């Protein structure tokens, strides 16, 4: 038994607010009965406002990985070439998934210290005179490294190259935390999940779909059944699903959509940006290095921190969990044990941030990691300095 609240400061799953927990604490209803249509329609329509699209949104009862697969199998054919960019662990997983499906991914190598480079994407597309590349896939917020890709710049690069490939973006950890505009940025398939910025438990995933991608799904050759947009479309038009939806998660989703609009999406984005600025001020004051090198690419959702040489990030995380009951994100694959990740997303406020950073500072001390004191103080100063901006944004 540990008293007080556990601090779940991994960059997803994020903390689920009580309001959403209460919304889900309601009897499961007949998903084919008359009352369900309102729940289904509200979720499907409401998510359009979050993706900023007039197009179709589908909702799966699955983790985000399912929506990655759905994006590819609904639009592409065996052997199709897709262009992907190695921003980190999640971009690599999506690339491996594409390979397993029988696609031919070109993977632009990256150093895991920034977002995808639109200029390199443009150069690859210009080389592809025969238009063999059928899709460009980027991760908007690379959760393993704390870097953001400028998706609008990727669209501009595709247009500059005059290339007709589809644009796909993974927003699993950015949607409802970082500004994203499916229609305005000309994204064809946006992939997302429930358990990060949307503040829900894991278990729902999403595709937002352009008309062009929907049209391609009529003839795409990769085999699929469960993920079929075509089979979703008919029932979805009246608020229903072709198979049992995650009913109680949809109650929670509808509450989340209301909460996001009550706060205002722009205010939600400003809040995340402000907390990220303060978290980075703490890391710099500690004298530690932020994994994402390019300051313009740094994520509003999480901060990945490099450990000083010879010190184990996993040991530090274990000490912090044991002493302060706080979970921090681990380093994944290439950066395993080399970095830890501080999640500052979702249902989050100034004092939760300060508590989180205090836990990190005490954990560094307890684990014997060399650092300078004063990170929490620097974060408090950064929040103070930014409070006018935060109020103006509201
Ligand atoms: C969490 C995450 C995923 C994986 O989602 P699952 O729900 O674990 O399948 C994929 N991409 C990004 C960017 C993520 O943050």
């Amino acid at each position: 038994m540990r008293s007080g609240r556990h601090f779940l400061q991994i960059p997803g799953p994020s903390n689920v607010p009580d309001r959403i927990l209460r919304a889900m604490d309601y009897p499961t209803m007949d998903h084919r009965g008359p009352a369900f249509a309102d729940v289904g329609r509200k979720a499907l329509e409401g998510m359009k406002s979050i993706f900023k699209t007039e197009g179709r949104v589908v909702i799966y009862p699955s983790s985000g990985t399912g929506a990655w697969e759905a994006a590819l199998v609904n639009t592409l054919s065996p052997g199709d070439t897709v262009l992907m960019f190695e921003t980190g662990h999640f971009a690599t997983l999506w690339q491996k998934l594409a390979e397993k499906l029988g696609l031919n991914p070109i993977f632009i190598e990256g150093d895991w210290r920034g977002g995808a480079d639109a200029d390199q994407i443009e150069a690859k597309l210009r080389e592809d005179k025969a238009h063999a590349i059928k899709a460009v896939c980027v991760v908007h917020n690379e959760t393993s490294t704390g870097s953001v890709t400028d998706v609008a710049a990727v669209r501009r690069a595709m247009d500059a190259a005059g290339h007709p490939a589809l644009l796909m973006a993974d927003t699993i950890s950015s949607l409802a935390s970082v500004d994203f505009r499916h229609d305005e940025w000309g994204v064809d398939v946006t992939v997302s999940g429930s358990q990060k910025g949307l503040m829900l438990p894991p278990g729902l995933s999403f595709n937002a779909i352009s008309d062009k991608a929907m049209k391609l799904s009529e003839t795409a050759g990769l085999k699929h059944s469960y993920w079929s947009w075509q089979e979703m479309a008919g029932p979805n038009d009246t608020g229903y699903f072709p198979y049992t939806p995650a009913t109680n998660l949809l109650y929670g989703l509808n509450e989340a959509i209301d909460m996001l609009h009550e706060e205002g999406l722009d205010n939600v984005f400003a809040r995340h940006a402000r907390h990220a600025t303060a978290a980075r001020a703490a890391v710099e004051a500690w004298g530690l290095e932020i994994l994402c090198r390019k300051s313009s690419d740094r994520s509003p959702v999480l901060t990945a921190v490099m450990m000083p040489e010879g010190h184990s990030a996993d040991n530090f995380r274990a000490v912090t969990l044991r002493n302060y009951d706080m979970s921090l994100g681990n380093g994944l694959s290439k950066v395993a044990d080399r970095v830890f990740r501080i999640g500052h997303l979702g249902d989050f406020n100034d004092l939760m941030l300060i508590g989180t950073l205090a836990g990190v500072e005490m954990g560094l001390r307890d684990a014997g990691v060399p650092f300078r004191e004063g990170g929490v103080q620097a974060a408090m100063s950064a929040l103070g300095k930014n409070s006018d901006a935060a109020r103006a944004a509201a």
Side-chain angles (χ1 to χ4, degrees):
M1 165 60 202
R2 308 201 64 158
S3 62
R5 283 225 179 192
H6 173 69
F7 269 60
L8 180 68
Q9 296 315 137
I10 60 177
S14 65
N15 293 289
V16 180
D18 295 350
R19 231 179 105 174
I20 289 180
L21 291 173
R22 283 198 295 272
M24 293 189 301
D25 181 10
Y26 191 81
T28 299
M29 63 166 75
D30 174 4
H31 63 284
R32 310 226 186 262
F36 183 82
D38 283 345
V39 175
R41 254 197 306 258
K42 183 174 174 190
L44 291 161
E45 280 302 310
M47 283 309 291
K48 292 185 184 186
S49 65
I50 306 297
F51 283 110
K52 299 186 179 165
T53 183
E54 302 286 324
R56 187 175 285 283
V57 172
V58 301
I59 305 177
Y60 298 108
S62 88
S63 91
T65 301
W68 263 348
E69 180 159 341
L72 301 177
V73 296
N74 276 286
T75 53
L76 300 169
S77 296
D80 277 356
T81 300
V82 293
L83 181 61
M84 301 174 128
F85 197 105
E86 185 195 3
T87 43
H89 179 67
F90 288 103
T92 305
L93 286 181
W94 201 8
Q95 179 254 342
K96 288 195 171 130
L97 189 153
E99 245 166 24
K100 286 181 205 155
L101 292 174
L103 295 167
N104 169 37
I106 300 173
F107 205 32
I108 302 177
E109 212 175 287
D111 66 359
W112 291 41
R113 301 199 68 177
D117 180 357
D119 292 341
Q120 286 184 60
I121 290 172
E122 183 174 335
K124 283 278 182 222
L125 293 175
R126 284 186 189 279
E127 281 168 23
D128 179 36
K129 300 263 187 287
H131 296 167
I133 296 169
K134 299 301 177 201
V136 174
C137 304
V138 291
V139 175
H140 185 212
N141 184 76
E142 177 52 77
T143 325
S144 63
T145 67
S147 69
V148 172
T149 286
D150 184 342
V151 175
V154 174
R155 166 44 72 194
R156 285 195 297 274
M158 294 173 71
D159 291 347
H163 201 290
L166 295 169
L167 172 57
M168 301 195 189
D170 168 350
T171 65
I172 295 176
S173 64
S174 55
L175 193 74
S177 298
V178 185
D179 190 17
F180 183 82
R181 307 174 188 195
H182 179 90
D183 286 1
E184 190 183 318
W185 296 349
V187 183
D188 291 294
V189 189
T190 302
V191 173
S192 204
S194 57
Q195 74 272 29
K196 296 173 186 177
L198 287 173
M199 307 175 285
L200 294 165
L204 291 181
S205 73
F206 309 87
N207 282 166
I209 308 162
S210 72
D211 291 345
K212 178 178 167 186
M214 199 66 203
K215 186 90 195 127
L216 280 169
S217 74
E218 292 169 13
T219 53
L222 281 174
K223 285 201 168 60
H224 56 280
S225 167
Y226 184 78
W227 305 115
S228 171
W229 296 341
Q230 291 295 325
E231 293 194 24
M232 277 283 200
N236 276 183
D237 284 342
T238 51
Y240 292 92
F241 289 79
Y243 41 71
T244 315
T247 315
N248 291 56
L249 284 171
L250 293 178
Y251 303 157
L253 178 63
N254 287 341
E255 192 71 18
I257 292 166
D258 284 348
M259 289 169 72
L260 290 165
H261 288 311
E262 280 169 32
E263 184 173 354
L265 281 176
D266 288 342
N267 296 327
V268 173
F269 303 147
R271 170 166 58 79
H272 281 80
R274 181 167 165 270
H275 287 151
T277 300
R280 293 193 291 260
V283 176
E284 274 154 17
W286 289 324
L288 300 179
E289 196 177 341
I290 295 168
L291 178 60
C292 181
R293 204 183 271 124
K294 214 167 141 193
S295 61
S296 58
D297 289 0
R298 286 176 179 166
S299 169
V301 167
L302 76 142
T303 301
V305 184
M306 296 175 73
M307 282 310 260
E309 255 334 290
H311 292 268
S312 158
D314 289 343
N315 179 62
F316 154 72
R317 288 188 316 107
V319 166
T320 306
L321 177 61
R322 191 167 63 238
N323 293 358
Y324 304 106
D325 200 19
M326 176 164 74
S327 297
L328 293 166
N330 63 335
L332 293 162
S333 56
K334 273 192 191 173
V335 290
D337 206 28
R338 300 289 314 121
V339 309
F340 66 91
R341 295 173 298 146
I342 307 168
H344 32 76
L345 72 157
D347 184 44
F348 201 60
N349 63 25
D350 287 10
L351 292 190
M352 290 166 84
L353 176 70
I354 295 304
T356 298
L357 296 173
V360 172
E361 191 158 332
M362 291 190 290
L364 290 168
R365 178 198 63 198
D366 296 356
V369 178
F371 75 104
R372 285 195 305 267
E373 286 186 354
V376 174
Q377 184 59 57
M380 289 193 290
S381 302
L383 288 178
K385 271 187 240 157
N386 281 325
S387 63
D388 286 346
R391 238 175 271 123

